[in-house]
Amino acid sequence: MTTSDFDPRLIDKYKEPKYLLHFQWGLSSTVYRYALVETIKPNKIHSRTKQKEDEKNLTQKEIWKKYAKNYSSIK
C-alpha cells in the first residue's frame, strides 16, 4: 500500500509553486497526480466559482478536458 508523504495542509510552506502534486484520498491506495496547467491573474477568474469568462456554465470535467492531453488512464 502506498502512503502519501505529502501533507496538503503544509502547502503554504513551499516557497515556489509545485508543478506536480500527489494525493491519496481517504484510505485509498490509489495515488492521484495533479499538474499545474495555468496561472491566472485574480481579475481574470471569478473569486467564488474559480471559473474564467470562457468557462461559465461548464462542469469541472468539461474545463479539465481543455487541459487533458491523454486522460485514458483516469477512466
Side-chain angles (χ1 to χ4, degrees), residues 28-66:
S28 173
S29 62
T30 302
V31 176
Y32 296 85
R33 176 182 284 176
Y34 290 80
L36 174 65
V37 295
E38 182 176 19
T39 58
I40 305 166
K41 300 221 180 275
N43 65 333
K44 299 293 183 185
I45 192 166
H46 191 280
S47 62
R48 186 181 59 77
T49 65
K50 304 299 187 230
Q51 290 178 317
K52 297 185 305 182
E53 190 65 33
D54 66 334
E55 297 170 344
K56 286 184 178 176
N57 301 315
L58 296 179
T59 66
Q60 282 190 356
K61 190 169 187 176
E62 290 168 328
I63 295 168
W64 169 77
K65 282 184 178 181
K66 291 186 343 180

Side-chain angles (χ1 to χ4, degrees), residues 2-32:
T2 305
T3 319
S4 180
D5 288 341
F6 177 76
D7 185 346
R9 295 171 295 179
L10 301 176
I11 199 163
D12 61 341
K13 303 288 184 199
Y14 291 98
K15 293 182 181 6
E16 298 289 328
K18 297 300 238 175
Y19 289 95
L20 293 174
L21 295 175
H22 300 83
F23 294 94
Q24 287 178 260
W25 295 95
L27 300 176
S28 173
S29 62
T30 302
V31 176
Y32 296 85

